[in-house]
Amino acid sequence: MVDKTLNNYLNEAIRLKAEIEALKADFEACKGKITNELISRGIEEYEHGETKVRYSKYKKRMFDKKAFEKAFPEIAERYTTTKEQTRFTIS
């Protein structure tokens, strides 16, 4: 059975998803240009009206879950929980 309403919603979602992906690509390209300008000028921060852009390096501590599970599998298993979640995908 073909559901016209659901098909219309899916067609709209597919169109919007394509637009979003195109905009994300444009945004990433623009970020790259701004980053290159900041680097070439040797500045970390720039203000434009009420908008401020920063580009700087920083260090971030991260927990290596895979290494921990490999080194201490029994402890990792004891503190691992399973949750039921929902997922919506369009492919």
Side-chain angles (χ1 to χ4, degrees):
M1 176 174 102
V2 175
D3 186 325
K4 207 172 187 179
T5 301
L6 187 54
N7 286 344
N8 287 338
Y9 290 152
L10 281 170
N11 287 334
E12 183 179 6
I14 291 166
R15 180 187 62 76
L16 290 170
K17 185 177 179 183
E19 285 182 32
I20 289 168
E21 292 305 316
L23 288 171
K24 282 182 182 178
D26 291 347
F27 180 70
E28 289 302 317
C30 190
K31 271 179 37 180
K33 291 175 186 176
I34 293 168
T35 300
N36 290 338
E37 279 296 317
L38 292 174
I39 291 170
S40 70
R41 296 176 187 207
I43 55 176
E44 291 185 4
E45 187 175 294
Y46 181 77
E47 291 184 37
H48 173 69
E50 294 183 19
T51 304
K52 188 182 292 187
V53 64
R54 290 183 190 92
Y55 178 77
S56 58
K57 293 181 182 180
Y58 66 96
K59 293 187 181 201
K60 180 179 178 181
R61 292 177 52 99
M62 300 184 60
F63 182 74
D64 189 342
K65 181 181 174 186
K66 286 185 180 182
F68 184 82
E69 287 174 338
K70 187 175 180 179
F72 307 101
E74 64 286 340
I75 296 173
E77 181 63 32
R78 220 176 346 168
Y79 291 96
T80 300
T81 59
T82 302
K83 294 180 182 179
E84 186 174 315
Q85 296 180 319
T86 60
R87 178 181 296 156
F88 179 81
T89 59
I90 298 176
S91 53

